[in-house]
Amino acid sequence: MRALTYLQRHPQTGVYRVRRRIPKSLQPLFDGRCEFIKSLETRNIGQAKSRALPIITEIQQRFDNAANAPQASEIDDPITNSFTDDSVQSSAQSDLGCGGGEDTGSDDVNVIALDIPSSAEKPGNRSDEKHLSELRDALLRTREYKPKTVPDVRRSFDLLIKLHGDLPLRTVTRGHVRELRDVLLRYPVGGSISKLKQMDLREIARQEWSRTISPITVEKLLGFVSQGFRLAVSEGWCEENPRSGLIVGQSKTSLKTERSDFQEHHLKKLFLSPLFVGCSDNQHASEVGNCRIFDHRYWLPLSALYTGARLGELAQLEASDVKEENGVWFLNITKISAKNKNKKSLKTKHSERSVPIHKDLISLGFLGYAKSSRTGYVFESRYETPRKLSHEYSKWFGRYLTAIGLDDRELVFHSFRHTFKTACRFANVPDEIHDELTGHRPINVGGWYGERKRRLEYLSEVIDGLMFDGLPIEQMIELNRR
Protein backbone atom coordinates (compact mmCIF):
# COMPACT_ATOMS: atom_id res chain seq x y z
CA MET A 1 0.00 0.00 0.00
CA ARG A 2 1.35 3.42 -0.95
CA ALA A 3 0.38 5.68 1.94
CA LEU A 4 0.29 8.95 0.00
CA THR A 5 -2.21 7.47 -2.46
CA TYR A 6 -4.88 8.67 -0.04
CA LEU A 7 -3.46 12.17 0.60
CA GLN A 8 -5.43 14.95 -1.08
CA ARG A 9 -5.69 18.73 -0.95
CA HIS A 10 -9.09 20.36 -0.68
CA PRO A 11 -9.72 22.34 -3.90
CA GLN A 12 -11.30 25.34 -2.13
CA THR A 13 -9.43 25.64 1.19
CA GLY A 14 -6.09 24.09 0.22
CA VAL A 15 -6.10 22.07 3.46
CA TYR A 16 -4.73 18.53 3.10
CA ARG A 17 -6.80 15.49 4.10
CA VAL A 18 -6.81 11.72 4.04
CA ARG A 19 -9.54 10.17 1.91
CA ARG A 20 -9.83 6.44 1.41
CA ARG A 21 -12.62 4.43 -0.13
CA ILE A 22 -14.06 1.56 1.89
CA PRO A 23 -13.93 -1.73 -0.08
CA LYS A 24 -17.40 -2.66 -1.34
CA SER A 25 -17.25 -5.95 0.52
CA LEU A 26 -16.83 -4.09 3.82
CA GLN A 27 -19.30 -1.27 3.24
CA PRO A 28 -22.23 -3.21 4.77
CA LEU A 29 -20.20 -3.48 7.98
CA PHE A 30 -19.99 0.32 8.12
CA ASP A 31 -23.70 1.06 7.70
CA GLY A 32 -23.35 1.08 3.92
CA ARG A 33 -21.08 4.10 3.88
CA CYS A 34 -18.33 4.13 1.31
CA GLU A 35 -15.45 6.40 2.40
CA PHE A 36 -13.28 7.57 5.27
CA ILE A 37 -12.31 11.27 5.27
CA LYS A 38 -10.06 12.95 7.83
CA SER A 39 -8.83 16.56 7.60
CA LEU A 40 -5.14 17.00 8.42
CA GLU A 41 -5.74 20.67 9.32
CA THR A 42 -2.68 21.95 7.51
CA ARG A 43 -1.72 23.46 4.19
CA ASN A 44 1.91 22.45 4.65
CA ILE A 45 2.78 19.37 2.60
CA GLY A 46 5.53 18.25 4.96
CA GLN A 47 3.21 18.39 7.94
CA ALA A 48 0.48 16.67 5.93
CA LYS A 49 2.72 13.71 5.07
CA SER A 50 3.74 13.33 8.71
CA ARG A 51 0.14 13.38 9.94
CA ALA A 52 -1.28 11.19 7.20
CA LEU A 53 0.78 8.06 7.88
CA PRO A 54 -0.63 7.13 11.33
CA ILE A 55 -4.19 7.89 10.18
CA ILE A 56 -3.92 5.72 7.08
CA THR A 57 -2.45 2.93 9.21
CA GLU A 58 -5.37 3.27 11.60
CA ILE A 59 -7.89 3.09 8.76
CA GLN A 60 -6.24 -0.05 7.42
CA GLN A 61 -6.41 -1.60 10.89
CA ARG A 62 -10.15 -0.94 10.98
CA PHE A 63 -10.56 -2.58 7.61
CA ASP A 64 -8.65 -5.63 8.84
CA ASN A 65 -10.75 -5.85 12.00
CA ALA A 66 -13.97 -5.58 9.99
CA ALA A 67 -12.87 -8.23 7.49
CA ASN A 68 -12.05 -10.69 10.28
CA ALA A 69 -15.31 -10.13 12.19
CA PRO A 70 -17.91 -12.88 11.68
CA GLN A 71 -20.79 -10.40 11.43
CA ALA A 72 -21.40 -6.70 11.45
CA SER A 73 -22.99 -6.68 14.93
CA GLU A 74 -19.64 -7.76 16.41
CA ILE A 75 -17.89 -4.61 15.14
CA ASP A 76 -17.48 -2.05 17.87
CA ASP A 77 -16.51 0.97 15.81
CA PRO A 78 -17.42 4.34 17.39
CA ILE A 79 -16.69 6.27 14.22
CA THR A 80 -19.79 4.91 12.47
CA ASN A 81 -21.79 7.20 14.76
CA SER A 82 -19.65 10.29 14.14
CA PHE A 83 -20.67 10.87 10.52
CA THR A 84 -21.87 14.45 9.95
CA ASP A 85 -22.76 16.52 6.92
CA ASP A 86 -19.70 18.70 7.63
CA SER A 87 -17.45 15.79 6.63
CA VAL A 88 -18.98 15.58 3.16
CA GLN A 89 -16.68 17.63 0.93
CA SER A 90 -16.00 17.65 -2.78
CA SER A 91 -12.74 15.92 -3.52
CA ALA A 92 -9.93 16.57 -5.95
CA GLN A 93 -7.16 14.34 -7.13
CA SER A 94 -3.92 14.94 -5.29
CA ASP A 95 -1.55 17.36 -6.94
CA LEU A 96 1.37 15.34 -5.58
CA GLY A 97 1.39 12.89 -8.47
CA CYS A 98 0.30 10.01 -6.23
CA GLY A 99 -3.36 9.53 -7.08
CA GLY A 100 -4.98 6.24 -8.04
CA GLY A 101 -5.25 3.11 -5.92
CA GLU A 102 -8.54 2.33 -4.29
CA ASP A 103 -9.45 6.00 -3.96
CA THR A 104 -11.54 6.75 -7.04
CA GLY A 105 -12.00 10.44 -6.23
CA SER A 106 -15.76 9.88 -6.07
CA ASP A 107 -17.92 12.59 -4.58
CA ASP A 108 -20.27 10.04 -3.05
CA VAL A 109 -21.97 11.69 -0.06
CA ASN A 110 -21.84 8.52 2.07
CA VAL A 111 -18.53 9.11 3.82
CA ILE A 112 -17.23 8.59 7.33
CA ALA A 113 -15.33 11.29 9.24
CA LEU A 114 -12.49 9.79 11.22
CA ASP A 115 -12.82 11.94 14.34
CA ILE A 116 -10.58 9.97 16.68
CA PRO A 117 -7.11 11.56 16.50
CA SER A 118 -4.08 9.35 16.37
CA SER A 119 -1.53 9.52 19.17
CA ALA A 120 0.68 11.72 17.01
CA GLU A 121 -2.08 14.37 16.88
CA LYS A 122 -3.23 14.40 20.48
CA PRO A 123 -2.44 17.68 22.26
CA GLY A 124 0.19 17.35 24.92
CA ASN A 125 1.86 14.33 23.34
CA ARG A 126 4.37 16.41 21.40
CA SER A 127 7.62 16.87 23.26
CA ASP A 128 8.62 19.67 20.88
CA GLU A 129 5.35 21.64 21.19
CA LYS A 130 6.05 25.38 21.33
CA HIS A 131 3.92 27.86 23.24
CA LEU A 132 3.27 31.59 22.87
CA SER A 133 5.77 32.60 25.54
CA GLU A 134 8.47 30.54 23.83
CA LEU A 135 7.64 32.15 20.48
CA ARG A 136 7.94 35.60 22.05
CA ASP A 137 11.39 34.79 23.42
CA ALA A 138 12.52 33.17 20.16
CA LEU A 139 11.41 36.22 18.17
CA LEU A 140 13.39 38.54 20.43
CA ARG A 141 16.45 36.31 20.09
CA THR A 142 16.35 36.04 16.31
CA ARG A 143 15.44 39.64 15.38
CA GLU A 144 17.43 42.73 16.26
CA TYR A 145 14.82 45.20 17.48
CA LYS A 146 15.71 48.66 18.67
CA PRO A 147 15.75 48.89 22.49
CA LYS A 148 12.64 51.06 22.52
CA THR A 149 10.75 48.47 20.41
CA VAL A 150 11.46 45.44 22.62
CA PRO A 151 8.82 46.35 25.28
CA ASP A 152 6.16 46.64 22.55
CA VAL A 153 7.08 43.19 21.20
CA ARG A 154 6.75 41.72 24.68
CA ARG A 155 3.53 43.59 25.28
CA SER A 156 1.85 42.23 22.15
CA PHE A 157 2.49 38.61 23.13
CA ASP A 158 1.84 39.17 26.84
CA LEU A 159 -1.60 40.61 26.07
CA LEU A 160 -2.41 37.62 23.87
CA ILE A 161 -1.30 35.29 26.67
CA LYS A 162 -3.26 37.25 29.27
CA LEU A 163 -6.36 36.98 27.10
CA HIS A 164 -6.17 33.30 26.12
CA GLY A 165 -3.40 31.70 28.18
CA ASP A 166 -0.01 30.42 27.09
CA LEU A 167 -1.42 28.36 24.22
CA PRO A 168 0.49 25.84 22.10
CA LEU A 169 1.20 27.50 18.78
CA ARG A 170 -0.68 24.85 16.77
CA THR A 171 -3.87 25.67 18.66
CA VAL A 172 -3.80 29.45 18.11
CA THR A 173 -6.48 30.44 15.61
CA ARG A 174 -7.47 33.59 13.82
CA GLY A 175 -10.31 33.87 16.31
CA HIS A 176 -7.81 34.25 19.15
CA VAL A 177 -6.00 37.06 17.36
CA ARG A 178 -9.28 38.64 16.27
CA GLU A 179 -10.40 38.92 19.89
CA LEU A 180 -7.05 40.48 20.80
CA ARG A 181 -7.60 43.05 18.03
CA ASP A 182 -11.07 43.87 19.30
CA VAL A 183 -9.84 44.25 22.88
CA LEU A 184 -6.96 46.52 21.84
CA LEU A 185 -9.28 48.78 19.85
CA ARG A 186 -11.29 49.22 23.06
CA TYR A 187 -8.27 49.62 25.36
CA PRO A 188 -8.08 53.07 27.01
CA VAL A 189 -5.18 55.49 26.97
CA GLY A 190 -4.45 58.16 29.54
CA GLY A 191 -6.03 56.25 32.43
CA SER A 192 -4.66 54.75 35.62
CA ILE A 193 -2.16 52.05 34.66
CA SER A 194 -2.34 50.35 38.07
CA LYS A 195 -6.13 50.16 37.86
CA LEU A 196 -6.06 48.67 34.36
CA LYS A 197 -3.52 46.01 35.37
CA GLN A 198 -5.99 44.72 37.96
CA MET A 199 -8.82 44.40 35.44
CA ASP A 200 -9.59 41.52 33.11
CA LEU A 201 -9.01 42.44 29.47
CA ARG A 202 -12.52 41.45 28.45
CA GLU A 203 -13.92 43.57 31.27
CA ILE A 204 -11.87 46.53 30.03
CA ALA A 205 -13.23 46.05 26.50
CA ARG A 206 -16.84 46.01 27.73
CA GLN A 207 -16.58 49.44 29.32
CA GLU A 208 -16.92 52.81 27.62
CA TRP A 209 -13.77 54.94 27.41
CA SER A 210 -13.36 58.46 26.07
CA ARG A 211 -10.02 57.69 24.41
CA THR A 212 -8.68 54.36 23.18
CA ILE A 213 -5.60 53.00 21.43
CA SER A 214 -5.34 54.16 17.83
CA PRO A 215 -5.73 51.64 14.99
CA ILE A 216 -2.15 52.45 13.95
CA THR A 217 -0.85 51.28 17.32
CA VAL A 218 -3.07 48.19 17.21
CA GLU A 219 -1.71 47.40 13.75
CA LYS A 220 1.82 47.71 15.08
CA LEU A 221 1.20 45.38 18.03
CA LEU A 222 -0.51 42.77 15.87
CA GLY A 223 2.37 43.13 13.43
CA PHE A 224 4.74 41.78 16.09
CA VAL A 225 2.43 38.79 16.57
CA SER A 226 2.49 38.24 12.82
CA GLN A 227 6.29 38.39 12.75
CA GLY A 228 6.38 35.75 15.47
CA PHE A 229 4.10 33.37 13.63
CA ARG A 230 6.01 33.81 10.39
CA LEU A 231 9.02 32.60 12.33
CA ALA A 232 6.96 29.73 13.75
CA VAL A 233 5.78 28.62 10.31
CA SER A 234 9.31 28.73 8.90
CA GLU A 235 10.58 26.62 11.81
CA GLY A 236 7.73 24.10 11.53
CA TRP A 237 6.26 24.95 14.93
CA CYS A 238 2.85 25.59 13.34
CA GLU A 239 1.31 25.57 9.89
CA GLU A 240 -0.39 28.95 9.57
CA ASN A 241 -0.06 32.58 10.61
CA PRO A 242 -3.34 33.38 12.44
CA ARG A 243 -2.73 37.11 11.97
CA SER A 244 -2.77 36.78 8.17
CA GLY A 245 -5.72 38.45 6.47
CA LEU A 246 -7.04 40.11 9.63
CA ILE A 247 -8.12 43.71 9.08
CA VAL A 248 -7.75 46.16 11.96
CA GLY A 249 -10.31 48.72 10.83
CA GLN A 250 -11.13 51.87 12.78
CA SER A 251 -12.00 52.70 16.37
CA LYS A 252 -14.60 55.39 17.01
CA THR A 253 -12.87 56.49 20.21
CA SER A 254 -9.24 56.33 19.13
CA LEU A 255 -7.30 59.53 19.46
CA LYS A 256 -5.66 60.73 16.29
CA THR A 257 -3.30 63.54 17.18
CA GLU A 258 -2.37 65.92 14.41
CA ARG A 259 0.76 67.69 15.57
CA SER A 260 0.62 71.38 14.76
CA ASP A 261 3.11 74.24 14.98
CA PHE A 262 3.46 76.52 17.96
CA GLN A 263 1.88 79.75 16.80
CA GLU A 264 2.97 83.24 17.87
CA HIS A 265 0.66 83.39 20.89
CA HIS A 266 1.63 79.86 21.90
CA LEU A 267 5.35 80.70 21.98
CA LYS A 268 4.77 83.89 23.93
CA LYS A 269 2.63 82.17 26.53
CA LEU A 270 4.99 79.21 26.88
CA PHE A 271 8.27 81.09 27.20
CA LEU A 272 6.85 83.71 29.56
CA SER A 273 5.48 80.96 31.82
CA PRO A 274 6.96 80.25 35.29
CA LEU A 275 9.43 77.59 34.09
CA PHE A 276 11.27 80.18 31.98
CA VAL A 277 10.90 83.40 33.99
CA GLY A 278 10.45 82.30 37.59
CA CYS A 279 8.51 79.56 39.38
CA SER A 280 7.51 78.72 42.93
CA ASP A 281 10.15 76.04 43.48
CA ASN A 282 11.80 73.07 41.83
CA GLN A 283 8.76 70.85 42.42
CA HIS A 284 6.16 73.37 41.23
CA ALA A 285 7.51 74.60 37.91
CA SER A 286 4.12 75.80 36.64
CA GLU A 287 3.43 78.09 39.60
CA VAL A 288 4.64 81.70 39.62
CA GLY A 289 7.55 82.56 41.93
CA ASN A 290 11.13 83.76 42.12
CA CYS A 291 12.89 80.40 41.67
CA ARG A 292 14.83 80.03 38.42
CA ILE A 293 15.25 76.54 36.95
CA PHE A 294 18.04 75.83 34.47
CA ASP A 295 17.95 72.06 34.18
CA HIS A 296 16.80 69.84 31.32
CA ARG A 297 13.23 71.08 31.69
CA TYR A 298 14.35 74.58 30.70
CA TRP A 299 16.79 73.71 27.92
CA LEU A 300 15.06 70.87 26.05
CA PRO A 301 12.20 73.00 24.61
CA LEU A 302 14.57 75.77 23.55
CA SER A 303 17.01 73.29 21.98
CA ALA A 304 14.20 71.58 20.06
CA LEU A 305 12.84 74.91 18.80
CA TYR A 306 16.22 76.19 17.57
CA THR A 307 17.54 72.93 16.07
CA GLY A 308 14.43 71.00 14.94
CA ALA A 309 15.91 67.90 16.60
CA ARG A 310 13.76 65.06 17.88
CA LEU A 311 13.40 64.66 21.64
CA GLY A 312 15.11 61.27 21.52
CA GLU A 313 18.07 62.77 19.64
CA LEU A 314 18.49 65.55 22.19
CA ALA A 315 18.12 63.27 25.19
CA GLN A 316 21.08 61.12 24.16
CA LEU A 317 23.44 64.01 23.38
CA GLU A 318 26.73 63.79 25.26
CA ALA A 319 28.84 66.75 26.34
CA SER A 320 31.41 65.70 23.73
CA ASP A 321 28.75 66.10 21.04
CA VAL A 322 28.82 69.87 21.55
CA LYS A 323 31.67 70.81 19.21
CA GLU A 324 33.36 73.82 17.70
CA GLU A 325 34.94 74.00 14.26
CA ASN A 326 36.28 77.13 12.54
CA GLY A 327 34.46 79.29 15.07
CA VAL A 328 31.12 77.52 14.59
CA TRP A 329 29.54 75.71 17.54
CA PHE A 330 27.31 72.80 16.55
CA LEU A 331 25.56 69.70 17.85
CA ASN A 332 27.02 66.48 16.46
CA ILE A 333 23.99 64.18 16.25
CA THR A 334 25.50 60.75 15.78
CA LYS A 335 25.22 57.08 16.76
CA ILE A 336 28.81 57.08 17.98
CA SER A 337 29.20 57.41 21.74
CA ALA A 338 32.23 58.74 23.60
CA LYS A 339 31.57 55.99 26.12
CA ASN A 340 31.52 52.49 24.67
CA LYS A 341 28.92 51.35 27.18
CA ASN A 342 26.44 53.94 25.94
CA LYS A 343 24.32 52.90 23.00
CA LYS A 344 22.71 55.48 20.75
CA SER A 345 20.01 54.98 18.16
CA LEU A 346 18.77 57.24 15.38
CA LYS A 347 15.63 57.00 13.30
CA THR A 348 17.25 56.80 9.85
CA LYS A 349 20.70 56.87 8.28
CA HIS A 350 20.10 60.52 7.36
CA SER A 351 19.61 61.38 11.03
CA GLU A 352 23.37 61.65 11.56
CA ARG A 353 24.15 65.30 11.00
CA SER A 354 25.76 68.47 12.32
CA VAL A 355 23.40 71.23 13.41
CA PRO A 356 24.88 74.66 14.20
CA ILE A 357 23.83 76.17 17.53
CA HIS A 358 21.73 79.31 17.10
CA LYS A 359 23.27 82.55 18.38
CA ASP A 360 20.24 83.06 20.66
CA LEU A 361 20.89 79.73 22.42
CA ILE A 362 24.50 80.76 22.95
CA SER A 363 23.39 84.13 24.34
CA LEU A 364 21.05 82.34 26.76
CA GLY A 365 24.03 80.40 28.15
CA PHE A 366 23.54 77.01 26.53
CA LEU A 367 27.26 76.32 26.03
CA GLY A 368 28.01 76.75 29.70
CA TYR A 369 25.14 74.47 30.63
CA ALA A 370 26.18 71.76 28.16
CA LYS A 371 29.83 71.75 29.26
CA SER A 372 28.98 71.60 32.97
CA SER A 373 27.64 68.06 32.71
CA ARG A 374 28.69 65.66 35.48
CA THR A 375 27.18 62.53 33.93
CA GLY A 376 28.48 63.02 30.40
CA TYR A 377 25.04 63.79 29.01
CA VAL A 378 24.11 67.34 28.00
CA PHE A 379 20.63 67.08 29.49
CA GLU A 380 21.23 65.64 32.95
CA SER A 381 18.24 64.26 34.79
CA ARG A 382 17.25 61.79 37.48
CA TYR A 383 16.41 59.20 34.83
CA GLU A 384 18.88 56.36 34.34
CA THR A 385 18.86 56.34 30.52
CA PRO A 386 18.30 58.86 27.71
CA ARG A 387 15.41 56.74 26.47
CA LYS A 388 13.72 56.99 29.85
CA LEU A 389 14.31 60.74 29.92
CA SER A 390 12.76 61.11 26.47
CA HIS A 391 9.71 59.05 27.43
CA GLU A 392 9.07 60.72 30.78
CA TYR A 393 9.83 64.27 29.67
CA SER A 394 7.39 64.01 26.79
CA LYS A 395 4.62 63.19 29.27
CA TRP A 396 5.79 65.83 31.75
CA PHE A 397 5.85 68.51 29.07
CA GLY A 398 2.29 67.66 28.05
CA ARG A 399 1.16 68.11 31.65
CA TYR A 400 3.05 71.39 31.89
CA LEU A 401 1.36 72.77 28.79
CA THR A 402 -2.02 71.93 30.27
CA ALA A 403 -1.08 73.52 33.60
CA ILE A 404 -0.25 76.87 31.95
CA GLY A 405 -3.37 76.87 29.82
CA LEU A 406 -2.03 75.46 26.53
CA ASP A 407 -4.26 72.41 26.55
CA ASP A 408 -4.61 72.04 22.79
CA ARG A 409 -4.12 68.32 22.10
CA GLU A 410 -2.41 69.11 18.83
CA LEU A 411 0.43 70.80 20.71
CA VAL A 412 3.07 68.31 21.84
CA PHE A 413 6.84 68.40 22.23
CA HIS A 414 7.25 67.24 18.62
CA SER A 415 5.48 70.46 17.58
CA PHE A 416 8.83 72.25 18.03
CA ARG A 417 10.16 70.24 15.10
CA HIS A 418 7.25 71.32 12.93
CA THR A 419 7.72 74.92 14.07
CA PHE A 420 11.39 74.80 13.09
CA LYS A 421 10.59 73.54 9.59
CA THR A 422 7.94 76.24 9.17
CA ALA A 423 10.49 78.87 10.19
CA CYS A 424 12.87 77.48 7.55
CA ARG A 425 10.20 77.82 4.86
CA PHE A 426 9.38 81.39 5.92
CA ALA A 427 13.12 82.19 5.69
CA ASN A 428 13.21 80.74 2.15
CA VAL A 429 15.64 78.02 3.16
CA PRO A 430 15.90 75.47 0.31
CA ASP A 431 14.16 72.17 0.98
CA GLU A 432 17.36 70.14 0.76
CA ILE A 433 18.97 72.37 3.42
CA HIS A 434 16.27 72.15 6.06
CA ASP A 435 15.88 68.46 5.25
CA GLU A 436 19.57 68.06 6.02
CA LEU A 437 19.25 70.09 9.22
CA THR A 438 16.33 67.98 10.45
CA GLY A 439 17.72 64.63 9.29
CA HIS A 440 15.10 63.94 6.63
CA ARG A 441 15.75 62.19 3.31
CA PRO A 442 16.76 64.83 0.76
CA ILE A 443 13.98 65.60 -1.69
CA ASN A 444 16.18 66.54 -4.65
CA VAL A 445 18.41 63.97 -6.33
CA GLY A 446 21.27 66.43 -5.97
CA GLY A 447 21.01 66.05 -2.21
CA TRP A 448 22.12 62.43 -2.64
CA TYR A 449 25.07 63.03 -4.94
CA GLY A 450 28.22 61.91 -3.20
CA GLU A 451 26.45 62.19 0.19
CA ARG A 452 28.03 65.63 0.32
CA LYS A 453 27.57 67.83 3.38
CA ARG A 454 27.05 71.57 3.37
CA ARG A 455 29.73 73.67 4.91
CA LEU A 456 29.11 74.46 8.58
CA GLU A 457 29.62 78.14 7.95
CA TYR A 458 26.72 78.23 5.52
CA LEU A 459 24.48 76.13 7.77
CA SER A 460 25.32 78.43 10.66
CA GLU A 461 24.17 81.44 8.64
CA VAL A 462 20.94 79.62 7.84
CA ILE A 463 20.30 78.75 11.48
CA ASP A 464 21.09 82.24 12.78
CA GLY A 465 18.69 83.71 10.23
CA LEU A 466 15.70 81.84 11.63
CA MET A 467 13.18 83.90 13.62
CA PHE A 468 10.24 82.74 15.73
CA ASP A 469 7.46 85.29 16.01
CA GLY A 470 6.12 85.55 19.52
CA LEU A 471 9.26 84.21 21.20
CA PRO A 472 10.31 86.82 23.83
CA ILE A 473 13.98 86.04 23.29
CA GLU A 474 15.40 89.48 24.18
CA GLN A 475 13.49 89.48 27.44
CA MET A 476 14.71 85.95 28.23
CA ILE A 477 18.35 86.81 27.47
CA GLU A 478 18.19 89.91 29.65
CA LEU A 479 16.63 87.90 32.46
CA ASN A 480 19.40 85.30 32.31
CA ARG A 481 22.09 87.98 32.54
CA ARG A 482 20.86 89.23 35.87
Side-chain angles (χ1 to χ4, degrees), residues 9 21 60 79 125 131 145 171 186 195 241 252 261 288 304 306 310-311 320-321 361 384 406 415 422 425 431 461:
R9 190 170 66 178
R21 191 162 186 81
Q60 184 61 46
I79 66 169
N125 284 355
H131 292 72
Y145 291 105
T171 67
R186 300 278 301 165
K195 178 183 177 181
N241 183 350
K252 294 181 180 180
D261 295 4
V288 177
Y306 277 108
R310 302 175 178 92
L311 178 54
S320 58
D321 293 326
L361 272 182
E384 62 273 19
L406 292 176
S415 296
T422 298
R425 295 188 183 99
D431 286 346
E461 293 177 2

Side-chain angles (χ1 to χ4, degrees), residues 34-322:
C34 63
E35 289 183 319
F36 282 105
I37 286 183
K38 172 62 179 177
S39 173
L40 299 175
E41 300 180 353
T42 179
R43 295 184 177 89
N44 182 286
I45 182 58
Q47 294 290 335
K49 290 178 180 179
S50 175
R51 295 183 180 190
L53 291 173
I55 295 175
I56 294 171
T57 300
E58 186 174 344
I59 292 174
Q60 184 61 46
Q61 184 62 50
R62 294 184 185 277
F63 288 170
D64 294 341
N65 291 341
N68 295 329
Q71 48 185 314
S73 60
E74 297 181 14
I75 301 177
D76 183 16
D77 191 344
I79 66 169
T80 58
N81 297 320
S82 63
F83 170 74
T84 63
D85 289 340
D86 291 338
S87 65
V88 182
Q89 305 173 26
S90 62
S91 66
Q93 285 295 331
S94 171
D95 61 351
L96 306 176
C98 51
E102 290 180 39
D103 192 336
T104 64
S106 169
D107 287 333
D108 197 313
V109 296
N110 293 320
V111 298
I112 294 176
L114 189 60
D115 290 333
I116 302 176
S118 66
S119 59
E121 293 181 288
K122 291 181 180 178
N125 284 355
R126 301 180 58 92
S127 60
D128 61 341
E129 191 76 79
K130 299 292 185 181
H131 292 72
L132 285 170
S133 60
E134 294 174 290
L135 179 59
R136 174 199 60 205
D137 297 341
L139 180 63
L140 290 171
R141 285 195 305 269
T142 56
R143 292 192 60 142
E144 294 185 2
Y145 291 105
K146 291 183 178 180
K148 66 179 182 180
T149 304
V150 171
D152 289 333
V153 178
R154 291 189 180 278
R155 182 187 180 198
S156 62
F157 280 91
D158 290 347
L159 287 172
L160 184 58
I161 292 171
K162 184 176 180 180
L163 191 61
H164 299 293
D166 195 8
L167 298 174
L169 300 183
R170 297 180 191 278
T171 67
V172 180
T173 67
R174 185 175 296 178
H176 292 126
V177 182
R178 183 184 297 112
E179 185 175 8
L180 175 63
R181 176 203 64 187
D182 295 342
V183 167
L184 289 175
L185 287 171
R186 300 278 301 165
Y187 200 89
V189 295
S192 171
I193 296 178
S194 58
K195 178 183 177 181
L196 292 175
K197 285 183 177 180
Q198 297 173 3
M199 296 175 64
D200 178 77
L201 289 176
R202 293 181 178 88
E203 179 185 353
I204 292 174
R206 284 193 294 268
Q207 297 192 22
E208 295 294 330
W209 306 94
S210 58
R211 294 168 52 195
T212 57
I213 294 179
S214 72
I216 294 177
T217 301
V218 174
E219 186 76 58
K220 180 181 74 172
L221 293 174
L222 294 183
F224 295 134
V225 173
S226 182
Q227 290 170 11
F229 274 95
R230 285 202 296 269
L231 171 63
V233 171
S234 70
E235 294 295 324
W237 299 337
C238 66
E239 292 76 48
E240 296 179 324
N241 183 350
R243 166 66 178 87
S244 179
L246 196 62
I247 299 174
V248 171
Q250 296 292 323
S251 169
K252 294 181 180 180
T253 55
S254 64
L255 177 65
K256 182 179 180 181
T257 302
E258 296 289 346
R259 295 156 177 167
S260 67
D261 295 4
F262 283 102
Q263 302 299 316
E264 181 176 346
H265 63 285
H266 295 144
L267 291 175
K268 184 175 182 179
K269 187 166 188 175
L270 172 60
F271 289 105
L272 286 179
S273 69
L275 173 63
F276 298 96
V277 298
C279 60
S280 176
D281 55 52
N282 193 52
Q283 303 300 320
H284 301 87
S286 61
E287 298 177 7
V288 177
N290 296 319
C291 177
R292 296 299 309 281
I293 293 177
F294 291 103
D295 60 12
H296 64 282
R297 291 172 292 179
Y298 178 93
W299 290 108
L300 277 171
L302 286 165
S303 299
L305 177 64
Y306 277 108
T307 65
R310 302 175 178 92
L311 178 54
E313 294 171 339
L314 294 171
Q316 64 186 356
L317 281 176
E318 299 173 359
S320 58
D321 293 326
V322 181

Side-chain angles (χ1 to χ4, degrees), residues 383 387-397 399:
Y383 302 110
R387 180 177 179 275
K388 186 69 172 178
L389 167 61
S390 175
H391 180 72
E392 294 299 330
Y393 186 82
S394 178
K395 294 190 294 185
W396 180 89
F397 185 73
R399 295 193 296 269

